[in-house]
Amino acid sequence: MPGSTGQYSGVPKIAVRLTEDEISVLCNCINETLDSLDDAELSGRVGVDRLSARALLGRLSEKRNGARRLNGAAKA
C-alpha cells in the first residue's frame, strides 16, 4: 500500500484478497498456534515471536470485523 506506515514500513508488501471466511480460518490457525506453542517453539517453528503473531492476528481480526460490518450493511 503506497504511503502506508507502521510496524512494517520499509518491508516489501503484497496484497492478497481473502473472503471473511478465509480470514477467519487464518485467525483460528494463529490462535491455535499461540495456544499450543511456548515462546521458544513458536519462534523456532513459525519464525516470529508471540508479539508479532498477536499483532498479525489483531490486523486480520480488524479486517474480518470490517468485512462483517460491510456485509451486514449490504444485507440490510
Side-chain angles (χ1 to χ4, degrees):
M1 287 182 252
S4 67
T5 60
Q7 178 181 358
Y8 295 101
S9 55
V11 175
K13 297 174 181 67
I14 61 168
V16 178
R17 294 179 65 107
L18 300 170
T19 67
E20 179 184 333
D21 288 342
E22 291 167 334
I23 293 173
S24 290
V25 169
L26 290 174
C27 288
N28 291 338
C29 289
I30 294 169
N31 268 324
E32 288 295 322
T33 301
L34 288 168
D35 288 344
S36 300
L37 303 177
D38 64 25
D39 290 347
E41 196 174 13
L42 178 71
S43 180
R45 291 178 67 181
V46 179
V48 297
D49 62 22
R50 188 167 300 276
L51 186 62
S52 295
R54 287 195 188 281
L56 175 58
L57 178 59
R59 291 194 315 276
L60 288 169
S61 293
E62 287 175 13
K63 296 294 184 184
R64 178 183 55 192
N65 292 340
R68 285 180 178 164
R69 284 190 296 276
L70 285 174
N71 289 336
K75 292 177 185 176

